[in-house]
Amino acid sequence: MSRAILRLLLGCLLTVPLLATGTVHARTAQARIAKVTLAVATMTDVHVRLDWPAQSSQGSLELRAGRVEAPELGYRYSNVTWRCPLSRDRDRWRCEGDVRSGKSRPLRLALELDPVRTDIRLGQGNGALALQRLASAPDLTRIDLTRVPVAWAQALLAQAWPQGRLNAGTVTGWLDIAAPAKAPLHISGPLQLQSVAFDTADGTVAGENVGAQVDIDAELAATTRVGIEGQLHGGEMLFGNAYLALQKRRVDLSVQAVQDEGGGWQLPRLAWNDGGILRVDASAALDAQMDLRTLDLRAHSGNLAPLRDGYLTGFLGMAGLGELQLGGAADARLRIERGDLREADLTVASAVVDDPRGRFRFDGLEGDVRYSSTRTLESELRWQGGALHGLAFGAAHLPLRSADGVLHLRQPVSMPLLGGRAGFDHLQIKPPAGGSGLEIRFGLELEQLDVAQLSTALGWPAFTGQLTGHIPEARYANDRLDFEGGLAMQLFGGTVQVSSLAMERPFGVAPTLSSDIAFDDIDLESLTGVLGFGTITGKLDGRIADLRLVDWQPVAFSSYLQTDADAARAAGVRQRVSQRAVQDLSSVSDASFVSGLQTQLIGLFDDFGYREIGIACRLVDEVCEMEGLGLAGPGFIIVEGSGLPRLSVVGFNRRVDWPTLLERLVAASSGDVKPVFE
């Protein structure tokens, strides 16, 4: 039996006339009462036995009840037994002994009563609950609590929150319970909670080490009303994805709640004030399953820096942004109806948003963003600068309009980026609604971005050229970003086309990128010069299909690179390969080179003519499956020589470990490969 219900049993005992008045003459008295009804509780199948030896100063009392119920408070227990020695001092009776329900752990119950006053004390260990009732005010009961385990209130909590479980903590204070015959049950008083822990079976709601000093004012009837005023004294709490870490801060709290029988809760007032970190004023409604139905919220933060650790880590952690750094101030308003966002307004001042992992940064955020599902609203957001994956961008402003439930740009926007410009020709943001998640659509324009700056920012070799492209439509939904159209780069005298571009978890954990890349007429002398890969002259075409990067590391692709003799001839470029480049190709591809000349004479030549170069790699499970221009016995041709001296490179290992291949590329580009002739 839950310990809290025993205080109800004590009140029931007061109605047993056998104990309250009269002089005992018999040695043994027994009574069986079918039902005892009080304002707050009912006992059924009650058996009372009193043994009082003749001429003795005390007797013994045993009370058994088949059922003890207090429906308004949620208490229902069976097989309740109380045994105690009963004594009398003039008009005052006293009885103290163990009470239990079924085979549960007993508690110590003491009762003292006379015609004027009744005192009851229920205790276990250091916790005690004391009840006092005066005959002059039979409808009013005072309950004093001293380090009472909060688990004693589990049944009462279940009336308002069936899913909630009280696991640890104590409560100290007092409560006045008024139970008039023709009015609702009323409970009020101050309570102090210490080290409270609670949760739900599904783990969506939980709390640890929560402290509080609150005043309770509740009315329990067909329509239940609860008011709470006071302070929270630290602790940690989880509500769905919202994780609140109050540490040891004191937070002012005010709650007004109303519940109709069998229905959900209306919260006409919910106020929260955590110093200068967060102030919230809200009203809300929950359905019978405690799911949010409506919410009207206003929030202010004068200092966004501590807001992350205090309130946002749950949401940010899901997006892979748990280390996000914030600064500045913000005001927000939110209105939700039937679970869908109806209106939102965010105003920021001198705000900074910085991802320490270098994925993005915004400096000097100012302005507001206003959204409505029914009205037309205009707003503007500005920033002084920032960076995206290490690529710095300049100041910009976003003129916004909300109409028909969609937030979009009023006009195209561009900003300085890598010596050129980047911008949106359109942007549409559709908040979650009707079971659909967040959806963002935009068109992206890149104009003459400096590839040299891009290479430096990304730690690439010193590539040069310009990046220009237009993505007419990109769509973000379900944590996936898909691009229509493509990007074109002018690199090393040729072009690079990027198409079929898509990203999963672009700002989350282990982002994934997929695309197809095509090369056309790349100048090999410029490319190999930058890579430090010997010297090759000519033109290069190629394709990397089904490229997939996970956390920016390649895990799969099918590639084929091949020289273009026609393009080289049209450009007046000879097709030559240096001895260093031959050796590097041989080392990287695990190949050998063959020649019609004695191997001793090959070292006399600095470079060689070639008819064609071609190499393919299909990356699967960290193994590169290699191919070339064609077969050469058990091997495959990588370089087909031309002229004299004629030299060809043939690969024999068709399966090369990808990490090993990368190590060989690094060694080749640094010149750390010694020529070996066969």
Side-chain angles (χ1 to χ4, degrees), residues 115-144:
V116 176
R117 173 174 169 172
T118 300
D119 292 296
I120 302 172
R121 186 181 187 277
L122 181 68
Q124 188 178 77
N126 294 324
L129 180 154
L131 179 150
Q132 182 186 97
R133 179 183 293 173
L134 300 177
S136 59
D139 296 334
L140 180 64
T141 301
R142 166 66 63 87
I143 297 179
D144 290 304

Side-chain angles (χ1 to χ4, degrees), residues 461-504:
F463 296 153
T464 59
Q466 290 186 335
L467 170 60
T468 297
H470 178 223
I471 296 178
E473 185 72 22
R475 178 178 180 268
Y476 174 82
N478 301 320
D479 210 15
R480 179 181 172 89
L481 182 60
D482 292 287
F483 297 87
E484 297 179 9
L487 296 174
M489 289 182 282
Q490 301 299 318
L491 288 176
F492 304 114
T495 60
V496 178
Q497 296 280 348
V498 181
S499 60
S500 302
L501 186 60
M503 294 187 69
E504 299 175 19

Side-chain angles (χ1 to χ4, degrees), residues 191 193 198 210-217 226-234 237 239 244 246 249-257 267 269-275 278-282 311:
L191 297 176
L193 288 81
F198 59 88
V210 178
Q213 183 79 47
V214 296
D215 289 318
I216 304 292
D217 190 353
V226 178
I228 301 174
E229 302 282 341
Q231 281 189 335
L232 294 177
H233 298 169
M237 289 172 280
F239 300 96
L244 282 60
L246 303 183
R249 300 193 305 275
R250 293 178 178 265
V251 177
D252 295 328
L253 177 68
S254 176
V255 179
Q256 297 293 329
L267 285 77
R269 173 171 170 76
L270 175 59
W272 179 282
N273 190 354
D274 186 3
L278 180 64
R279 186 181 72 244
V280 175
D281 292 286
Y311 296 93

Side-chain angles (χ1 to χ4, degrees), residues 557-560 615-619 624-627 658 661:
F557 60 77
S558 294
S559 67
Y560 185 71
I615 189 168
C617 169
R618 180 174 178 265
L619 179 62
C624 191
E625 299 177 358
M626 309 286 291
E627 292 185 8
W658 176 249
L661 184 60

